[in-house]
């Protein structure tokens, strides 16, 4: 209700260690958006982590909007049972992209001194044919060059592993 969105039975998109993601439709304009929900969990401090992610995504998005998933205005809300973050669109699976596009997008973040913090294929989606990064809870702004090189190498190795396992699609 807070976000004025509708969730249907097939809305579930995925889950991670700190929450669940759903495709929702905004009532005002029928636009599909992604809603990330974290339930209260004292052990994982998931609500504070989602609040931190919202802050970092907004900051990274101001610096490099082409490759960072946007957050809707008033797109964060804490509830009794947890918190929710409303993202500006729903991306498609990273397999719609090629390796060079994904690696280049990470390099673009690095060129703007943004370290993603968890650069792996599961944190990239395809939006309008371009790679867009999600899940910025572990990101850093104004990072050291050595951190960028390490992160880039980790992504390249992750891509190679996925290709060898047959999970990467066109990546």
């Amino acid at each position: 209700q807070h976000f004025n969105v509708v969730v249907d039975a097939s809305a579930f998109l995925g889950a991670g260690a700190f929450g669940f993601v759903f495709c929702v439709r905004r009532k005002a304009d029928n636009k599909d958006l992604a809603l990330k929900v974290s339930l209260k969990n004292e052990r994982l401090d998931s609500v504070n982590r989602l609040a931190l992610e919202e802050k970092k995504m907004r900051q990274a998005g101001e610096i490099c909007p082409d490759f960072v998933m946007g957050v809707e205005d008033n797109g964060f809300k804490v509830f009794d049972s947890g918190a929710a973050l409303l993202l500006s669109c729903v991306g498609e699976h990273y397999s719609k992209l090629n390796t060079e596009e994904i690696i280049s997008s990470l390099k673009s973040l690095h060129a703007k001194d943004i370290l993603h913090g968890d650069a792996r294929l599961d944190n990239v989606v395809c939006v309008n044919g371009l790679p867009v990064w999600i899940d910025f809870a572990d990101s850093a702004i104004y990072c050291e060059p050595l951190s960028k090189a390490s992160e880039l190498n980790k992504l390249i190795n992750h891509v190679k592993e996925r290709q060898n396992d047959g999970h990467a699609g066109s990546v």
Side-chain angles (χ1 to χ4, degrees):
Q1 285 179 325
H2 172 79
F3 296 120
N4 199 26
V5 296
V6 176
V7 183
D8 67 29
S10 62
F12 181 72
L13 296 175
F18 293 93
F20 305 91
V21 181
F22 301 90
C23 177
V24 298
R25 179 158 290 155
R26 186 169 40 211
K27 292 177 184 177
D29 59 6
N30 284 326
K31 181 179 179 184
D32 287 337
L33 307 169
L35 181 68
K36 186 171 186 177
V37 177
S38 287
L39 300 177
K40 278 190 180 170
N41 181 329
E42 300 302 324
R43 185 177 54 85
L44 296 176
D45 200 14
S46 55
V47 171
N48 285 335
R49 184 175 171 86
L50 193 61
L52 181 63
E53 180 177 353
E54 184 255 350
K55 178 182 174 185
K56 289 182 173 186
M57 282 184 81
R58 287 189 189 280
Q59 187 178 16
E62 288 176 12
I63 297 168
C64 195
D66 293 339
F67 299 110
V68 176
M69 179 63 73
V71 177
E72 289 293 293
D73 291 338
N74 300 312
F76 179 74
K77 176 74 174 163
V78 176
F79 301 96
D80 290 338
S81 59
L85 178 63
L86 189 61
L87 305 176
S88 61
C89 67
V90 176
E92 295 180 89
H93 194 265
Y94 65 80
S95 62
K96 303 266 184 188
L97 303 164
N98 66 50
T99 302
E100 294 78 25
E101 291 172 315
I102 294 170
I103 292 170
S104 177
S105 68
L106 184 63
K107 287 179 180 178
S108 293
L109 291 178
H110 289 171
K112 300 284 187 174
D113 286 328
I114 300 169
L115 185 75
H116 183 273
D118 190 16
R120 55 191 174 91
L121 294 174
D122 295 331
N123 287 329
V124 179
V125 294
C126 179
V127 176
N128 298 323
L130 298 173
V132 174
W133 289 87
I134 59 174
D135 197 358
F136 276 77
D138 296 323
S139 69
I141 309 295
Y142 309 116
C143 55
E144 297 295 320
L146 189 58
S147 299
K148 295 180 213 176
S150 175
E151 180 170 78
L152 183 60
N153 287 333
K154 284 181 184 177
L155 175 63
I156 290 168
N157 289 333
H158 181 71
V159 168
K160 287 178 183 176
E161 288 172 12
R162 286 284 175 103
Q163 287 174 330
N164 290 338
D165 292 343
H167 291 100
S170 65
V171 172

